[in-house]
Amino acid sequence: EEAEEDQGLLMIRALDITNETLRSGNWPTVTTIEGTRALTTEKVVQAINYVGLMLGRYITWRFLHARGILVTVAKHTTGNVDVTLNSDLVDAGATAPLFTPDMVDRAFKVDSYEELYRVKAFVSASQLRIDPVYNGTTATDKSYTIAQDRYPLPEDFDAESIFGEYLQGTSIRIVPPDQFDELRFGPSSHLLGASSALLTTQAPAHATIEVEPNGRQVLVLDPFPEEQAQISYSYYRLLLELKRDDDIWPFPLFVKPVVHDGALHFLSRDAKKDAQSSQIQLQEFFSNRTELAGLTRRADAYARFQPDTGQMRIRRFRSKGAFKGHTTWERT
């Protein structure tokens, strides 16, 4: 970070670094990278973006540090509900209006049963639909809990650096999905497809990070938050791809040759149809660059360079958990 500050920042412009790389490879330069691109230009832009994104994750760059804040939602227990075996409908009956549309995707539990469900649809102020269908005994006028445990993370969220500051003197520990499932549902219960869990509401002590079908990342807390409170955290921002001519990366001045040479290095490996090896080679390339000597590496940098069947994928997705459609990710 000291070297980063001493050198100052250079705004690496997309069109400039593309043409510099094209010239080094004895390819024709271009007047724009926007719109339809020739195959060579497309490969060069992809290589530059890949190297730049990996370099952003390789070093703890100060300009990629950010802070986020989220506010938890208090649990909802107003009134009572009617539930029916093998039905997904939860009915408040004659009770005053209870429900709101923003309760969709929150956890639901009838308090005398252990089965845990997810609110899948808002029908009316007195009716909700849950997933999966209710598996307990048909009952009326039952107490219940609805709690929000899933909170969206910033769109540029790449990885956590510090989580904590929930209420006073309480920290939240980020854990892998398998460990999170065991903490919530008990050892190995998720492997059996069970959805049994005690919906405990108190100050969250641990969390994991999931990726929704739309690609958005969410923080999943356990125990379920009991009251409204603020969670502040620090994270690494995702370096955005260069897509337009004037897109820029605020890397330090000395980094431009690393990006340029790294792109050529990657293209050379790719030309040999050695994409898997190129990911490992790129890490070795960074480690041998004197420009990066003395800078602090990201703690998770090595894990992000593991080959994944030759594809430029950062995260591997897999299905796991008690809820239908519950998708988690883990670093590979």
Side-chain angles (χ1 to χ4, degrees), residues 236-298:
Y236 296 113
R237 292 170 42 233
L238 181 67
L239 192 68
L240 299 179
E241 290 188 358
L242 301 176
K243 296 180 179 179
R244 297 176 293 274
D245 296 341
D246 293 327
D247 285 347
I248 56 174
W249 285 336
F251 275 122
L253 179 63
F254 61 84
V255 166
K256 188 175 183 181
V258 178
V259 177
H260 166 264
D261 295 347
L264 291 174
H265 172 84
F266 183 83
L267 288 167
S268 174
R269 304 299 304 186
D270 188 56
K272 298 177 182 179
K273 301 186 184 301
D274 192 16
Q276 251 189 323
S277 176
S278 69
Q279 298 181 50
I280 300 173
Q281 293 285 338
L282 186 58
Q283 181 186 349
E284 296 176 355
F285 170 81
F286 286 155
S287 66
N288 292 326
R289 295 295 296 207
T290 58
E291 297 96 331
L292 305 180
L295 297 181
T296 304
R297 285 184 58 182
R298 285 264 295 271

Side-chain angles (χ1 to χ4, degrees), residues 82-119:
D82 301 340
V83 287
T84 304
L85 175 65
N86 294 327
S87 172
D88 67 352
L89 187 66
V90 175
D91 196 324
T95 311
L98 305 172
F99 308 130
T100 58
D102 56 9
M103 290 179 179
V104 173
D105 202 37
R106 295 184 191 176
F108 170 86
K109 177 180 176 294
V110 173
D111 289 342
S112 58
Y113 298 95
E114 288 192 353
E115 268 63 11
L116 192 63
Y117 303 87
R118 187 70 63 180
V119 177

Side-chain angles (χ1 to χ4, degrees), residues 36-48:
T36 303
R37 295 192 283 248
L39 180 59
T40 299
T41 305
E42 180 66 28
K43 287 186 174 181
V44 167
V45 173
Q46 287 181 0
I48 291 170

